[in-house]
Amino acid sequence: MTDQATRSEEEIPGKPTAASRTTLSHIMTGNDTNLLGTVHGGVIMKLVDDAAGAVAGRHSGGPAVTASMDEMVFLEPVRVGDLVHVRAQVNWTGRSSMEVGVRVMAERWNESTPAQQVGSAYLVFAAVDADGKPRRVPPVIPETERDKRRYQEAQIRRTHRLARRRAIKELREKRAADGIGD
C-alpha cells in the first residue's frame, strides 16, 4: 500500500450523528401478535434491525450488515393498533464497524397519552464492499451532550464485547488442551 493510499484511508471526513439518524414508524396489526395477544418480540426485533440497518448504510455510504445484536430490552408490551416508532442513530464507529443505538416508542391507539418507550437495543454493523469485505466507515461526530454520552457508553460496550470474546476463546482453548470436548 502506498503512502497516498494510506493517507486517503485516514482522511475519511466524519459525519455528525444527526446525518444518519432516522425513525421508522409502523402500525401493529393482528398479523404481528404472539400467543398472548401482544406483538411478538421478533416483529419488534425486525423493525429494530431494519431501522438500524438503514442508519448504518446511510452513515457508511453503502451496504452494511448486522454483525451482532448486543442487547435488546423489552420494557412494555406492544399491542395491536399501537403506532410504533423505532428511532436509531450511530453511537460509535470503528474502522469498519458501527454501533447503532435504537429506542422503540409506542403510541397507544386507544389513549391520548404521549408515546412511551417500550424497548431499546444496541446493534453492531459492519460496512462491506461489493465483495462482502469490510470497508472503512466515516467517524461519527457526536454533537450533543447526549450524543457524547452515548459515544462513551458504546466504547464501554465494545470493550466488554471484546473481553467476553477473548475470555470465551481462552476457555475453549484450555478445555481443548485438557482434552475436554463439547
Side-chain angles (χ1 to χ4, degrees):
M1 187 179 304
T2 67
D3 288 337
Q4 180 64 34
T6 303
R7 218 175 301 118
S8 65
E9 272 188 15
E10 293 172 1
E11 294 174 7
I12 297 176
K15 289 185 178 180
T17 306
S20 60
R21 189 178 290 142
T22 197
T23 300
L24 173 71
S25 298
H26 189 78
I27 295 176
M28 298 291 107
T29 68
N31 291 334
D32 301 319
T33 61
N34 59 26
L35 295 175
L36 297 175
T38 57
V39 172
H40 195 288
V43 170
I44 300 299
M45 290 174 77
K46 182 180 183 330
L47 293 173
V48 164
D49 191 45
D50 287 348
V55 165
R58 185 183 286 172
H59 181 83
S60 69
V65 296
T66 310
S68 71
M69 180 174 275
D70 209 33
E71 183 176 316
M72 178 77 216
V73 178
F74 297 99
L75 303 169
E76 295 285 334
V78 176
R79 298 180 198 99
V80 170
D82 287 352
L83 177 59
V84 172
H85 305 286
V86 183
R87 299 179 179 148
Q89 74 172 46
V90 173
N91 289 335
W92 175 89
T93 53
R95 187 184 186 307
S96 61
S97 64
M98 301 159 274
E99 183 196 88
V100 178
V102 182
R103 178 172 290 179
V104 183
M105 309 291 290
E107 287 184 51
R108 305 303 186 178
W109 72 272
N110 59 348
E111 299 173 11
S112 60
T113 56
Q116 71 179 83
Q117 185 174 355
V118 294
S120 65
Y122 299 102
L123 296 88
V124 177
F125 279 78
V128 294
D129 63 18
D131 298 321
K133 304 288 185 210
R135 62 181 174 81
R136 289 190 52 101
V137 298
V140 67
I141 302 168
E143 300 170 284
T144 66
E145 285 305 313
R146 176 182 276 177
D147 293 340
K148 291 173 186 172
R149 175 186 53 80
R150 287 180 177 166
Y151 184 90
Q152 291 169 331
E153 289 173 358
Q155 288 178 305
I156 292 167
R157 282 187 292 276
R158 180 176 188 272
T159 299
H160 285 270
R161 258 192 320 275
L162 295 175
R164 184 176 61 238
R165 278 189 208 143
R166 269 192 310 275
I168 289 170
K169 181 181 177 192
E170 290 169 5
L171 175 64
R172 289 179 178 173
E173 288 171 351
K174 182 181 181 328
R175 289 177 58 86
D178 292 344
I180 304 170
D182 288 337

